[in-house]
Amino acid sequence: MLDYVAEELSAITGWRRVLEAYATLAVDPAANGPAGTPESSGWAPRLARLDGVEPERLSALHGKLIALGLLSFEVSGKSGMQYQLSPLGRRTLSRGLGLEEPLLEEAGESQSDAAEEL
């Protein structure tokens, strides 16, 4: 993962819950809609609320995750705004990174590994 992404994520809370919610929606066809619809292809309507995340923070989290390249969006005629995890967002979740310290530790390890190779 890019160092600046790790730094940004370490400074915000709730990002993991948002990404996990969209990851769940992407694999749960019952939550998305009938086969062949845009919602069934990994796109999901915008989350209006999420347990563990303050409603007023949810909009800012969407913006930050989009800016960091972890969340993708599109505007659909019938569905309005739709979201899905980007490839970087999926990799970030699959690594099982913690909310705070492990992100910074991993970023530091990748820098020290690169320095050792030189």
Side-chain angles (χ1 to χ4, degrees), residues 9-51:
L9 290 178
S10 70
I12 58 176
T13 59
W15 65 268
R16 178 174 289 283
R17 288 182 189 265
V18 174
L19 291 183
E20 287 174 343
Y22 282 111
T24 301
L25 290 172
V27 298
D28 183 4
N32 289 331
T37 64
E39 294 85 4
S40 67
S41 63
W43 292 98
R46 189 181 198 288
L47 294 171
R49 68 182 141 220
L50 184 61
D51 290 340

Side-chain angles (χ1 to χ4, degrees), residues 47-72:
L47 294 171
R49 68 182 141 220
L50 184 61
D51 290 340
V53 177
E54 300 160 3
E56 58 274 2
R57 291 270 309 131
L58 196 53
S59 182
L61 283 170
H62 276 85
K64 181 64 85 170
L65 293 172
I66 290 167
L68 292 173
L70 301 172
L71 193 62
S72 300

Side-chain angles (χ1 to χ4, degrees), residues 29-116:
N32 289 331
T37 64
E39 294 85 4
S40 67
S41 63
W43 292 98
R46 189 181 198 288
L47 294 171
R49 68 182 141 220
L50 184 61
D51 290 340
V53 177
E54 300 160 3
E56 58 274 2
R57 291 270 309 131
L58 196 53
S59 182
L61 283 170
H62 276 85
K64 181 64 85 170
L65 293 172
I66 290 167
L68 292 173
L70 301 172
L71 193 62
S72 300
F73 73 95
E74 73 173 10
V75 179
S76 172
K78 289 185 177 182
S79 302
M81 293 291 285
Q82 297 185 75
Y83 297 82
Q84 72 177 359
L85 291 181
S86 69
L88 179 59
R90 285 190 293 276
R91 284 193 307 270
T92 300
L93 280 180
S94 70
R95 289 182 173 191
L97 300 176
L99 291 175
E100 305 271 340
E101 294 301 315
L103 290 171
L104 295 177
E105 290 171 9
E106 181 179 285
E109 288 172 9
S110 64
Q111 287 176 347
S112 63
D113 290 345
E116 289 175 358

